[in-house]
């Protein structure tokens, strides 16, 4: 199964319209008084987009097939879409024109050796790579140490959205859990349109919708987002609170994969905690290697 394209278009456009007021778009509120439903009315969006009310109504009912780029631009401006939402609208239009099966592509589940070597060469900062459904496909040593609670869970492949919504440890690990969780939903929502009918993504969304009331509620909001840069707080079981900046880099040679790296403010407590986490990770590695050598020696004896 995949997404229902018409419903996806209808719900996205109507939800964007519902969040705007006439005052926000510089338009007088016709009719005065309290509105029965939130947001702009269809004729107001049509006026702002430069199309007829009948035409906009057809669009909002889920018909984007054959719509020109200029009309999409008009819609994006009228609804005050941000960069991620604009990309989502264009994905919806492509989906309406090409069909779900035509747009389907495989999701990478591993990285090339060269990418892993690059990760391993980053020794002073946590770094990891995820695919578009949130599977963690590669890390460096410090990245795995940072996300140790996520790797401690039983599910494989390790998935950031599944951890966030289904593992009780997530709410302690992410002190800003609600924002982290909403971001995870928004990323999956964008992926569901850019790569519909991808089996792993369909399964993941179904699982989260069934098992998490919060996911189900936020999924219905139709928010979309991609991570590029920002700040994130963690409460790590080994070193305590970390306040880190992150950068996201799309791996151009590997479509669908994104690399994240984290850094701490120079001289901050988080920088000292990150160094401590690196020492802990190195000690853990040395202990594992010693245990492996001991096991090999005992097997020979």
């Amino acid at each position: 199964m995949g997404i229902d394209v018409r419903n996806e278009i209808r719900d996205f456009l109507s939800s964007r319209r519902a969040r705007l007021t006439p005052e926000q778009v510089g338009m007088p509120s016709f009719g005065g008084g309290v509105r029965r439903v939130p947001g702009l009315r269809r004729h107001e969006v049509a006026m702002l987009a430069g199309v007829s009310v009948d035409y906009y109504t057809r669009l909002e009912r889920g018909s984007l097939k054959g719509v020109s780029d200029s009309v999409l631009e008009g819609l994006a401006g009228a609804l005050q879409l941000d960069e991620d939402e604009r990309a989502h609208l264009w994905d919806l239009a492509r989906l309406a024109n090409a069909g779900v099966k035509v747009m389907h592509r495989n999701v990478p589940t591993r990285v090339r050796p060269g990418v892993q070597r690059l990760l391993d060469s980053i020794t002073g900062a946590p770094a990891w790579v995820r695919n578009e459904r949130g599977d963690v496909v590669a890390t460096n040593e410090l990245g795995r140490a940072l996300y140790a609670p996520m790797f401690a869970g039983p599910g494989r492949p390790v998935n950031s959205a599944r951890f966030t919504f289904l593992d009780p440890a997530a709410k302690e690990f992410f002190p800003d859990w609600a924002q982290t969780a909403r971001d995870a939903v928004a990323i999956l929502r964008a992926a569901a349109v850019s790569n519909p009918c991808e089996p792993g993504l369909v399964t993941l969304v179904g699982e989260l919708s069934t098992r998490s009331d919060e996911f189900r509620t936020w999924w219905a909001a139709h928010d979309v987002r991609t991570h590029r840069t920002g700040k994130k707080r963690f409460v790590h079981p080994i070193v305590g609170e970390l306040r880190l900046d992150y950068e996201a880099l799309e791996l151009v040679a590997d479509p669908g994969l994104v690399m994240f790296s984290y850094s701490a403010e120079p001289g901050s407590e988080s920088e000292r905690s990150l160094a401590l986490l690196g020492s802990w990770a190195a000690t853990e590695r040395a202990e594992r290697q010693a245990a492996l050598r001991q096991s090999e020696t005992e097997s020979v004896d």
Side-chain angles (χ1 to χ4, degrees):
M1 61 174 285
I3 64 171
D4 184 306
V5 181
R6 293 185 68 90
N7 286 345
E8 194 75 16
I9 295 168
R10 180 196 65 206
D11 293 343
F12 178 68
L13 292 179
S14 62
S15 65
R16 301 311 92 175
R17 176 167 63 87
R19 71 182 180 177
L20 294 174
T21 64
E23 291 74 21
Q24 285 176 293
V25 299
M27 177 179 286
S29 182
F30 296 113
V34 178
R35 295 189 167 211
R36 291 177 297 175
V37 294
L40 296 177
R41 293 166 178 157
R42 284 178 175 170
H43 74 267
E44 292 167 335
V45 175
M47 184 184 305
L48 291 167
V51 298
S52 70
V53 177
D54 288 343
Y55 187 57
Y56 175 73
T57 299
R58 181 168 70 84
L59 299 180
E60 196 178 284
R61 285 176 178 166
S63 179
L64 286 182
K65 190 170 185 178
V67 174
S68 68
D69 286 352
S70 61
V71 169
L72 292 176
E73 283 288 355
L75 274 180
L79 296 171
Q80 297 188 359
L81 303 186
D82 63 23
E83 185 179 350
D84 292 333
E85 291 168 331
R86 283 173 177 264
H88 189 65
L89 178 62
W90 258 258
D91 280 340
L92 287 170
R94 283 193 293 270
L95 190 57
N97 283 284
V100 170
K101 293 183 179 179
V102 174
M103 290 183 66
H104 169 67
R105 65 180 181 276
N106 293 328
V107 170
T109 57
R110 58 177 58 88
V111 297
R112 291 177 291 108
V115 175
Q116 185 62 61
R117 288 196 296 271
L118 175 62
L119 284 171
D120 293 337
S121 72
I122 303 172
T123 56
W128 59 292
V129 175
R130 69 155 172 81
N131 61 26
E132 59 196 22
R133 64 178 177 238
D135 295 339
V136 180
V137 299
T139 72
N140 66 357
E141 183 174 82
L142 196 50
R144 189 179 182 93
L146 175 63
Y147 278 96
M150 188 161 67
F151 282 92
R156 292 296 181 272
V158 173
N159 181 274
S160 56
R162 186 180 288 110
F163 169 74
T164 300
F165 282 97
L166 303 184
D167 193 322
K171 290 188 177 180
E172 183 174 347
F173 184 58
F174 297 124
D176 305 311
W177 179 84
Q179 186 59 56
T180 298
R182 294 190 73 129
D183 288 347
V185 176
I187 290 167
L188 289 179
R189 170 61 76 179
V193 168
S194 67
N195 192 14
C197 283
E198 196 285 308
L201 180 58
V202 171
T203 299
L204 176 64
V205 170
E207 178 187 6
L208 296 178
S209 297
T210 301
R211 299 179 59 188
S212 170
D213 291 338
E214 293 100 333
F215 180 88
R216 193 162 51 249
T217 297
W218 291 329
W219 183 257
H222 285 261
D223 292 331
V224 292
R225 184 173 181 238
T226 57
H227 280 304
R228 292 185 180 86
T229 185
K231 298 180 181 294
K232 205 170 188 70
R233 286 200 304 150
F234 306 87
V235 176
H236 196 278
I238 301 299
V239 300
E241 185 177 73
L242 291 160
R243 295 173 178 263
L244 304 177
D245 298 317
Y246 70 83
E247 299 292 334
L249 305 171
E250 292 187 7
L251 301 184
V252 178
D254 302 287
L257 292 182
V258 179
M259 179 185 293
F260 291 84
S261 63
Y262 295 83
S263 64
E265 187 73 24
S268 66
E269 187 64 34
S270 289
E271 184 182 48
R272 290 185 284 274
S273 296
L274 200 56
L276 179 60
L277 183 62
S279 298
W280 173 79
T283 301
E284 287 285 298
R285 170 168 42 83
E287 290 178 352
R288 287 194 304 270
Q289 291 172 344
L292 178 60
R293 286 193 298 269
Q294 179 66 28
S295 174
E296 290 172 345
T297 301
E298 292 175 352
S299 66
V300 170
D301 294 341

